[in-house]
């Protein structure tokens, strides 16, 4: 079992002791993980049916939505998945006092991101599933998932999103199959058709996910496409030491790739920001 960091009291520590028993101060009051029959899961099902109804009434929307996703996925963010994940995690902390930590973990089969910020809500789901949202509508929730989020399709055909009140997945093959029954197109959108999933069922078959679910509020699990691992390793190794840290939110960021890890700790002392990134201290 990998050792996780305990940031619940703003101190460096470990979630797991040497005997592998969990030590989770500050996380006992977190809500449990809701299954696929919760209110937000039902909201997702209704929204998906509305989308399919829209495609029935206006089949040309299929190509339009697919082209938008394709353009975002292969635009300037095509090789910036780690940065985009960190930004999305940071945005979840904008209105919370408790969440301060982000963990990005890369394995040969999956890319994970986890944070202890605010859980997703209806507006966040809408922002995630649609290409563009009105700028004045709950900009915090919607802003978490801007166009750059679509770049995840470059590395995964089936992104999974786990949040305490709802968990769901996107599946390119399944989405294409459902939409093709309504309208034929050269390509099909993926993010328009989320599907609720059972987080506990997934947790039981994935030790990494089980570990992250012990402390995080939000988790992304990306099953990697063939060839995606090498590009993500390059991103891991070249992740900018002094990237734009959201100063009022994130305090701890950890990037893990197997046994290799890069740790970023940001703190404020007497009006001065101090960034410790393993290679030294910056002010």
């Amino acid at each position: 079992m990998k050792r996780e960091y305990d940031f619940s009291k703003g101190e460096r520590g470990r979630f797991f002791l040497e005997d592998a028993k969990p030590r989770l101060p500050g996380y006992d009051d977190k809500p449990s993980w809701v299954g696929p029959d919760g209110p937000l899961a039902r909201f997702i099902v209704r929204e998906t049916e509305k989308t399919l109804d829209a495609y029935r009434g206006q089949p040309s929307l299929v190509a339009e939505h697919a082209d938008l996703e394709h353009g975002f996925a292969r635009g300037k963010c095509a090789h910036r998945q780690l940065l985009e994940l960190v930004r999305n995690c940071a945005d979840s902390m904008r209105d919370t006092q408790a969440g301060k930590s982000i963990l990005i973990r890369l394995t040969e089969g999956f890319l994970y991101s986890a944070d202890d910020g605010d859980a997703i809500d209806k507006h966040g789901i809408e922002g995630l599933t649609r290409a563009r949202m009105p700028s004045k509508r709950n900009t915090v929730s919607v802003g978490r998932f801007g166009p750059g989020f679509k770049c995840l399709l470059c590395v995964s055909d089936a992104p999974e999103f786990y949040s305490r009140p709802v968990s769901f997945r996107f599946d390119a093959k399944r989405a294409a199959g459902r939409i093709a029954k309504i309208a034929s197109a050269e390509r099909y959108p993926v993010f328009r058709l989320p599907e609720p999933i059972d987080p506990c069922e997934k947790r039981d078959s994935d030790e990494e996910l089980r570990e992250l679910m012990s402390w995080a509020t939000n988790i992304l699990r990306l099953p990697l496409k063939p060839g995606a691992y090498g590009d993500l390793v390059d991103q891991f190794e070249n992740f900018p030491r002094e990237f734009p840290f959201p100063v009022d939110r994130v305090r701890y960021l950890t990037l893990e790739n197997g046994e290799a890890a890069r740790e970023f700790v940001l703190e404020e002392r007497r009006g001065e920001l101090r960034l410790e990134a393993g290679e030294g201290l910056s002010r």
Side-chain angles (χ1 to χ4, degrees):
M1 179 178 291
K2 286 186 172 64
R3 298 176 297 175
E4 290 293 350
Y5 297 97
D6 174 11
F7 301 127
S8 58
K9 296 183 179 179
E11 300 174 352
R12 308 301 295 280
R14 298 294 185 184
F15 279 143
F16 295 94
L17 301 175
E18 292 182 358
D19 58 2
K21 293 181 180 179
R23 178 172 58 85
L24 302 170
Y27 290 101
D28 294 338
D29 57 347
K30 280 188 177 294
S32 59
W33 294 86
V34 178
D37 55 351
L40 280 182
R42 294 194 295 271
F43 170 77
I44 287 174
V45 172
R46 291 193 300 270
E47 290 299 297
T48 296
E49 289 302 321
K50 289 179 183 178
T51 298
L52 292 173
D53 286 342
Y55 291 157
R56 291 186 184 97
Q58 195 171 353
S60 61
L61 288 175
V62 173
E64 178 183 337
H65 293 168
D67 288 345
L68 281 171
E69 283 188 1
H70 184 79
F72 288 142
R74 284 154 180 79
K76 63 181 181 180
C77 298
H79 302 285
R80 294 162 56 92
Q81 282 79 22
L82 296 193
L83 274 172
E84 289 300 321
L85 287 176
V86 170
R87 285 176 178 157
N88 289 320
C89 290
D91 282 339
S92 75
M93 301 175 184
R94 192 172 299 178
D95 289 334
T96 181
Q97 297 299 316
K100 294 295 182 184
S101 57
I102 298 172
L103 174 66
I104 307 294
R105 176 175 294 165
L106 176 62
T107 70
E108 291 188 4
F110 293 91
L111 175 63
Y112 302 83
S113 75
D115 67 74
D116 58 353
D118 285 333
I120 198 169
D121 58 12
K122 287 184 178 179
H123 296 307
I125 292 170
E126 290 175 339
L128 177 57
T129 58
R130 300 178 186 177
R132 296 188 179 94
M133 292 290 294
S135 60
K136 294 183 180 179
R137 185 179 180 184
N138 199 334
T139 54
V140 172
S141 295
V142 175
R144 292 173 61 178
F145 309 108
F149 191 82
K150 306 300 188 290
C151 73
L152 299 182
L153 292 178
C154 292
V155 298
S156 179
D157 286 327
E160 300 169 354
F161 191 98
Y162 299 84
S163 192
R164 297 263 171 178
V166 66
S167 299
F168 50 95
R169 69 180 175 188
F170 303 93
D171 189 309
K173 184 176 180 179
R174 179 176 174 81
R178 296 187 70 181
I179 300 173
K181 296 177 181 179
I182 299 170
S184 178
E186 292 185 6
R187 64 169 63 103
Y188 297 92
V190 179
F191 282 105
R192 300 283 175 153
L193 298 184
E195 177 186 19
I197 56 177
D198 186 344
C200 296
E201 179 182 326
K202 298 293 184 180
R203 176 186 61 193
D204 292 343
S205 60
D206 186 335
E207 182 179 358
E208 307 283 358
L209 184 61
R210 181 166 61 251
E211 185 181 327
L212 297 176
M213 287 175 69
S214 69
W215 64 270
T217 304
N218 305 294
I219 303 168
L220 262 170
R221 184 175 81 154
L222 307 177
L224 297 181
K225 289 182 178 181
Y229 177 76
D231 183 47
L232 291 170
V233 169
D234 290 340
Q235 293 182 42
F236 177 90
E237 295 175 348
N238 297 306
F239 194 84
R241 180 177 182 274
E242 295 181 349
F243 70 100
F245 235 116
V247 175
D248 58 336
R249 288 165 270 163
V250 180
R251 287 295 180 268
Y252 310 97
L253 167 64
T254 302
L255 306 179
E256 290 183 353
N257 177 20
E259 296 302 318
R262 298 186 64 189
E263 302 170 11
F264 301 78
V265 181
L266 184 68
E267 58 182 347
E268 184 176 359
R269 293 185 182 178
R270 299 176 183 177
E272 179 183 71
L273 290 174
R274 299 161 60 92
L275 174 64
E276 179 185 346
E279 300 90 351
L281 183 67
S282 300
R283 293 177 173 85

